Amino acid sequence: MVKILLIGAGGQLGQEVLNQLNALTSIEVTPTTTASLDITDAPNLKNRILSDTFDFLINCTAYTAVDKAETEVNRAEAINAEAIQIIGEVAAQHNMKVIHISTDYVFDGKAYLPYTEEAPTHPDSIYGKTKLKGEQKLLNSNPQSIIIRTSWLYSKNGNNFVKTMLRLGKERDELKVVADQIGTPTYTGDLAQLICHIINADMSNQISFKPGIYHYSNEGVASWYDFAISIFQNTNIDCKVIPIASKEFPTAAPRPYYSVLNKSKIKNTYQIEIPHWQTSLKKCLSSMKITDI
Ligand SMILES: NC(=O)c1ccc[n+]([C@@H]2O[C@H](COP(=O)([O-])OP(=O)(O)OC[C@H]3O[C@@H](n4cnc5c(N)ncnc54)[C@H](OP(=O)(O)O)[C@@H]3O)[C@@H](O)[C@H]2O)c1
């Protein structure tokens, strides 16, 4: 029996990972949420990691309020960086493999070709800076760690762009959406499947756990404007989408203009095919209850 500690099981990715892990055999999952484990409580975090002989620790927690992080710097740092140091140290002492999630916001978005894992990082926001610190602390403290940088996550759970568009699209006749930020939407169902695949492949000795940083998003490229159009087309919501420039929609934290990730390393190492974002968007929308749409 492989034992997994899943922290952040109440978040949009965490819920999906928990559902998919529960469907696997020979796996015992211990999920925690903020209510059961606040990861900024260091002694409690250590005790929980040591409460059983876990083989894997999956971290789906994060301080994800990108704009609020600009003023709540200490809190963002505590969750995205300091707690990750503790996770890394304790996991290393007990031979635990860690799977941690990071973000395209570690880049400044000034590139014009998809970012590889070796591309220089240069976060512009507090969120991006604290997530990058978390990556560095984890890699320095526990060499048995996989860090998956992803982008534009959405799911039927939690707060995300898809759910915001569905709500606003029903309330309004037209919406202004930023058209000059380019990235790739990522369905949590696909990312959760990758995480399960990494664990399964290691358990079955097919592909041993290969530590390091990996980039993962769905295939394809879109602006937020393209994404919004596609959401409305798939749900027959009659709402006109008007493209605007980022400067017309100021935010406290700067966003990367271009944050497409190069996924060759994860595809080659883990022998996976990645669905196009439009295919996965349809899948997510069809999994939502009529009341969600
Ligand atoms: N969302 C995106 O578009 C996106 C894009 C790129 C990368 N990522 C990364 O993907 C990962 C998953 O993101 P997500 O979208 O699933 O985020 P999410 O829905 O905001 O979930 C994050 C979870 O972390 C928990 N958490 C926050 N502070 C905590 C604390 N002190 N102790 C314990 N748990 C705490 C939250 O619990 P509460 O809700 O109770 O606070 C929440 O359940 C994160 O690493 C994020 O940085 C996200």
Side-chain angles (χ1 to χ4, degrees), residues 7-15 32-35 37-41 59-66 75 78-80 83 100-105 127 131 148-154 157-161 186 188 191 224:
I7 60 176
Q12 59 169 346
L13 176 63
Q15 287 185 49
T32 72
T33 60
T34 326
L37 173 66
D38 180 342
I39 63 165
T40 61
D41 178 346
N59 179 26
C60 290
T61 68
Y63 183 104
T64 53
V66 175
R75 179 105 187 118
I79 296 165
N80 291 345
H100 173 72
I101 314 300
S102 191
T103 170
D104 55 337
Y105 281 47
Y127 169 71
K131 289 293 290 183
I148 305 172
R149 290 186 186 138
T150 190
S151 63
W152 297 23
L153 272 189
Y154 68 91
N157 309 307
N159 295 320
N160 55 65
F161 185 79
T186 305
T188 55
L191 178 52
W224 292 110

Side-chain angles (χ1 to χ4, degrees), residues 82-115:
E82 286 159 21
I84 312 308
Q85 172 79 33
I86 291 166
I87 289 172
E89 283 170 8
V90 182
Q93 285 158 13
H94 297 271
N95 252 341
M96 228 172 268
K97 294 166 183 160
V98 174
I99 300 180
H100 173 72
I101 314 300
S102 191
T103 170
D104 55 337
Y105 281 47
V106 298
F107 298 114
D108 61 15
K110 295 191 174 77
Y112 53 89
L113 284 174
Y115 284 100

